[in-house]
Amino acid sequence: MTVTSPAPATMIDVARAAGVSRATVSRVFTSPSTVAEETRTKVMDAVARLNYVPNSAARSLRSGRSSTIALLVGDIAQPFHSQLAKAVAHAAEARGYSVLLCDLDHSITRLERLLDSLPLQGVDGVILATGDNVDTPHVRAAIEDAEDRGTKILLGTPQLAGTGTLVMTTDYESVAYQATKHLLDQGRWPVALLGGSTASVLSPFLKSGYLRACAEAGHSDVILAPTEYSTDAARSATQELLESSQQPEGIVASSVSVALGAMSALADAGLGAPGRIGLVACEEVLLADQLRPRLTTVGTKLDLQGAAMADALIDAIQGTATESQDWAPALILRESSAG
Amino acid sequence: MTVTSPAPATMIDVARAAGVSRATVSRVFTSPSTVAEETRTKVMDAVARLNYVPNSAARSLRSGRSSTIALLVGDIAQPFHSQLAKAVAHAAEARGYSVLLCDLDHSITRLERLLDSLPLQGVDGVILATGDNVDTPHVRAAIEDAEDRGTKILLGTPQLAGTGTLVMTTDYESVAYQATKHLLDQGRWPVALLGGSTASVLSPFLKSGYLRACAEAGHSDVILAPTEYSTDAARSATQELLESSQQPEGIVASSVSVALGAMSALADAGLGAPGRIGLVACEEVLLADQLRPRLTTVGTKLDLQGAAMADALIDAIQGTATESQDWAPALILRESSAG
DNA sequence: CTGTTAGCGCTTTCAC
DNA sequence: GTGAAAGCGCTAACAG
């Protein structure tokens, strides 16, 4: 049976128990190396005995830092974002930081609200990861404001850059170029670009990479099939493509959702098996390897990218510099584009 | 060009600008109704003018509450967990709470570390959502410890219950029962249960639901095909099933990952089209509707469940009571088990 | 290497 | 309905 839970031990309790001053206890936690081995042990013992754990609110208030970053994602329910979140969370944890999860749900209004509201002041840094176009005056102002307050901001897309923000973005032009070239190199033609809406800041890059690859191969009669980034829209668009006069031999899907739509349409048309029509998605997620046919992709390794983002942000916060592994986008060949 | 960023306004600045005391400013934020309309307006004006935003660290230190909860998930890269996280984040936000994301990555060690470390003291509550068996003495102790400190804990699975923890768990026995019965009602037999490992605390419930449905239908020659919860393992297991003497006419997949493996194997065997072998997954995620064939599932509406969890936890923290919508698991009929 | 001394910015009785 | 005062638990100079 539970009894009066003893009020959690504070630093003063530990100091008393260890026969030292509060300052020393504090040092044991903030810069252990400046404390004599012996003293440190005494303190650690007391800490363990009293089950002491430093109060983070007090610590933040005093130090002005919270060891917390906010991760704003376009849609955490999407595999791309959840895998990125995972990597960010792990990297942050490794450096002693916590991650506040904020889901934008593709809404600018939500972003504006979040940016204005509480989180920002209790957070040392922010990662903004969304492909949606969210460049509004309100957002820009909020970001500058946050930076004036000393909050570091890392942008995951080319938009909104300028101020003092850090930017770490994938080269989507190259992604689409690689994807398209891969199909062209197999001798496939026509190859269509599926997906791409004005709501996305990435679409123009994908389009231009696609066009560059086509141009290099000497093809001018390109097929652009813009659609929302939804599976259903992509399915319909693919159906139309298949029924049109220019039967494609290859499809570059802007995202995995879009690729799923294409796969459905292909399956419905009895073209599900790989070989006949090559399919590549411009995004690498775990799911790609769980489908049948397994989906060829061009994309970044999200665990590396997420870690790089977290590290870069934390470096900016701490004024440190960490090496990050290369996470440039690359082709991952699977069944959906098998020769 | 940016100049010396003025130190962020504090409550004292606002008080001065509005010609009131700090206490009044504080009240405007914590219990607006106790402040005269007129005074409140004056204060709000000053707040807007000075761009004031309360310092959360100071507030937490003084009040003892942080308006933050931690969400511990087995694997945020999994659609189930990321959809749940999304719902939790939204519901929490609606009630003025922030969500700290902690990914367990299926590791007990990580859980133990997280439970011990920093987060816990800066957090008003914790949601533990993992199907992995994480019942160790260390974990139990850490949970009790956290509760002694006043942190509310909500468990998403039957494990670890006991103490003062809240428990909000899905009835997986019923899930598997419904899934199995659905296939049996179509006259299919044999129906196999695919997936189920000892690492999961849910497996036994699924198994027992499956067995109950079989028993009710008078079948005793059940087919249990336990495998890890991985797509590859499920694919192999399904292949074996198809090659065995007891060719199944239906498969109950323990999870969507497992179902993906089954779908691959079926596709490879030329049985991809629905009709021949019915497939149902014991988990409802968005992905189910993006596949071909669309995947029939039995599961909870994750947005409702996540909201219910967040609300229940926050209710426990605040001593309030909120209505939550019903999120009992139900069959969602799609193509993969089409008659 | 360790102790002393000031607060960080806010909430919260308690009076008025 | 509003103000005055007293810290919450910790860190960061500054001495010694």
Side-chain angles (χ1 to χ4, degrees):
Chain A
M1 104 178 42
T2 320
V3 260
T4 42
S5 42
T10 81
M11 188 169 264
I12 204 164
D13 298 321
V14 177
R16 235 192 309 264
V20 299
S21 74
R22 308 206 309 286
T24 301
V25 179
S26 175
R27 282 190 201 99
V28 169
F29 283 92
T30 56
S31 50
S33 57
T34 69
V35 174
E37 169 87 50
E38 196 188 355
T39 320
R40 206 182 342 172
T41 318
K42 270 195 309 192
V43 172
M44 298 295 263
D45 282 356
V47 166
R49 195 145 17 96
L50 299 179
N51 211 327
Y52 168 74
V53 46
N55 178 307
S56 64
R59 185 195 280 248
S60 302
L61 175 56
R62 190 53 242 245
S63 68
R65 267 162 302 103
S66 63
S67 292
T68 299
I69 63 176
L71 174 63
L72 315 199
V73 293
D75 183 358
I76 189 66
Q78 224 92 54
F80 179 91
H81 283 135
S82 69
Q83 284 183 233
L84 191 71
K86 178 165 186 139
V88 167
H90 286 210
E93 188 200 318
R95 298 190 60 173
Y97 278 70
S98 302
V99 176
L100 238 39
L101 176 65
C102 304
D103 183 69
L104 268 26
D105 204 20
H106 298 297
S107 152
I108 292 190
T109 319
R110 284 184 73 86
L111 173 60
E112 293 179 339
R113 197 154 13 99
L114 281 166
L115 245 25
D116 289 340
S117 80
L118 315 158
L120 266 199
Q121 36 76 21
V123 140
D124 296 341
V126 175
I127 294 177
L128 176 59
T130 176
D132 299 330
N133 179 356
V134 292
D135 190 342
T136 70
H138 189 142
V139 170
R140 292 197 98 94
I143 288 183
E144 281 196 33
D145 207 75
E147 290 188 314
D148 282 353
R149 286 178 144 81
T151 310
K152 300 292 179 192
I153 313 255
L154 174 67
L155 268 16
T157 51
Q159 65 185 317
L160 290 168
T163 350
T165 49
L166 308 168
V167 181
M168 186 169 265
T169 177
T170 300
D171 181 355
Y172 279 98
E173 200 273 348
S174 161
V175 168
Y177 174 81
Q178 289 181 59
T180 310
K181 185 164 190 307
H182 165 61
L183 292 171
L184 295 179
D185 284 351
Q186 295 179 323
R188 301 180 190 271
W189 188 259
V191 168
L193 176 63
L194 182 66
S197 87
T198 54
S200 162
V201 294
L202 273 18
S203 292
F205 293 95
L206 294 176
K207 179 172 170 187
S208 109
Y210 164 77
L211 292 177
R212 179 161 64 97
C214 292
E216 275 185 12
H219 296 296
S220 57
D221 48 341
V222 300
I223 306 181
L224 263 20
T227 66
E228 279 175 63
Y229 284 96
S230 83
T231 300
D232 283 335
R235 182 184 298 114
S236 316
T238 305
Q239 266 158 11
E240 287 177 27
L241 228 44
L242 295 176
E243 291 161 5
S244 75
S245 51
Q246 320 170 272
Q247 277 257 3
E249 291 188 2
I251 296 178
V252 174
S254 302
S255 72
V256 169
S257 290
V258 166
L260 286 169
M263 288 176 77
S264 292
L266 292 176
D268 289 347
L271 299 168
R276 178 73 182 73
I277 295 190
L279 178 64
V280 183
C282 294
E283 202 177 69
E284 163 63 9
V285 295
L286 291 172
L287 177 62
D289 207 48
Q290 302 180 314
L291 300 170
R292 196 61 115 211
R294 293 176 202 257
L295 185 60
T296 294
T297 65
V298 176
T300 60
K301 298 222 182 308
L302 287 177
D303 48 353
L304 297 184
Q305 184 180 356
M309 291 175 105
D311 279 330
L313 180 62
I314 295 174
D315 280 345
I317 292 168
Q318 301 186 329
T320 53
T322 308
E323 286 293 306
S324 74
Q325 292 182 63
D326 177 68
W327 50 274
L331 176 80
I332 298 180
L333 181 59
R334 299 201 182 87
E335 301 163 352
S336 72
S337 71
Chain B
M1 113 179 34
T2 321
V3 261
T4 42
S5 42
T10 80
M11 188 170 262
I12 205 167
D13 298 322
V14 176
R16 230 187 317 257
V20 299
S21 74
R22 306 205 309 284
T24 303
V25 178
S26 175
R27 284 190 197 100
V28 169
F29 282 91
T30 55
S31 50
S33 57
T34 68
V35 173
E37 168 88 49
E38 195 188 357
T39 320
R40 204 182 345 173
T41 318
K42 270 194 309 191
V43 172
M44 298 295 262
D45 282 356
V47 165
R49 199 149 12 100
L50 299 179
N51 212 327
Y52 169 74
V53 44
N55 179 308
S56 64
R59 185 194 283 245
S60 302
L61 175 56
R62 190 54 243 248
S63 68
R65 269 162 301 106
S66 64
S67 293
T68 300
I69 63 176
L71 174 64
L72 315 199
V73 294
D75 183 359
I76 188 66
Q78 224 92 56
F80 179 91
H81 282 135
S82 69
Q83 285 182 231
L84 191 72
K86 179 165 186 138
V88 168
H90 286 210
E93 189 199 319
R95 297 190 58 174
Y97 278 70
S98 302
V99 177
L100 239 38
L101 176 66
C102 303
D103 183 69
L104 266 27
D105 205 20
H106 298 297
S107 154
I108 293 190
T109 319
R110 284 183 73 86
L111 173 60
E112 293 179 337
R113 196 153 14 97
L114 281 165
L115 246 24
D116 288 341
S117 79
L118 315 159
L120 265 198
Q121 36 75 20
V123 141
D124 296 341
V126 175
I127 295 177
L128 177 59
T130 177
D132 299 329
N133 180 356
V134 291
D135 190 341
T136 70
H138 189 141
V139 170
R140 293 197 98 93
I143 288 182
E144 281 196 33
D145 206 74
E147 289 187 315
D148 282 352
R149 287 181 144 77
T151 309
K152 300 293 180 192
I153 312 253
L154 173 68
L155 268 17
T157 51
Q159 66 185 319
L160 290 167
T163 350
T165 50
L166 308 168
V167 181
M168 186 168 265
T169 179
T170 300
D171 181 354
Y172 280 97
E173 200 271 349
S174 160
V175 169
Y177 174 81
Q178 290 182 59
T180 309
K181 183 163 193 305
H182 165 60
L183 293 171
L184 296 179
D185 284 351
Q186 296 179 323
R188 300 179 190 273
W189 188 258
V191 168
L193 176 63
L194 181 65
S197 88
T198 54
S200 162
V201 293
L202 273 17
S203 291
F205 293 95
L206 293 176
K207 180 173 170 184
S208 108
Y210 164 78
L211 292 176
R212 177 160 64 97
C214 291
E216 277 186 10
H219 296 297
S220 57
D221 49 342
V222 300
I223 306 181
L224 263 19
T227 66
E228 281 174 62
Y229 284 95
S230 82
T231 300
D232 282 335
R235 182 184 298 117
S236 317
T238 306
Q239 267 159 9
E240 287 176 29
L241 228 45
L242 296 176
E243 290 159 6
S244 75
S245 53
Q246 318 170 275
Q247 277 259 0
E249 291 187 2
I251 296 178
V252 175
S254 302
S255 72
V256 168
S257 290
V258 165
L260 285 169
M263 286 175 79
S264 292
L266 292 177
D268 289 348
L271 299 167
R276 178 75 181 69
I277 296 190
L279 178 64
V280 183
C282 294
E283 202 177 69
E284 163 62 8
V285 294
L286 291 172
L287 177 62
D289 207 46
Q290 303 180 312
L291 301 170
R292 196 63 114 214
R294 292 174 201 259
L295 186 59
T296 294
T297 65
V298 176
T300 60
K301 297 220 183 307
L302 287 176
D303 48 352
L304 297 184
Q305 184 180 355
M309 291 176 105
D311 279 330
L313 180 62
I314 295 174
D315 280 344
I317 292 168
Q318 301 185 331
T320 53
T322 307
E323 286 294 307
S324 75
Q325 293 182 61
D326 176 67
W327 50 274
L331 177 80
I332 299 181
L333 179 59
R334 300 203 182 86
E335 301 164 350
S336 71
S337 72

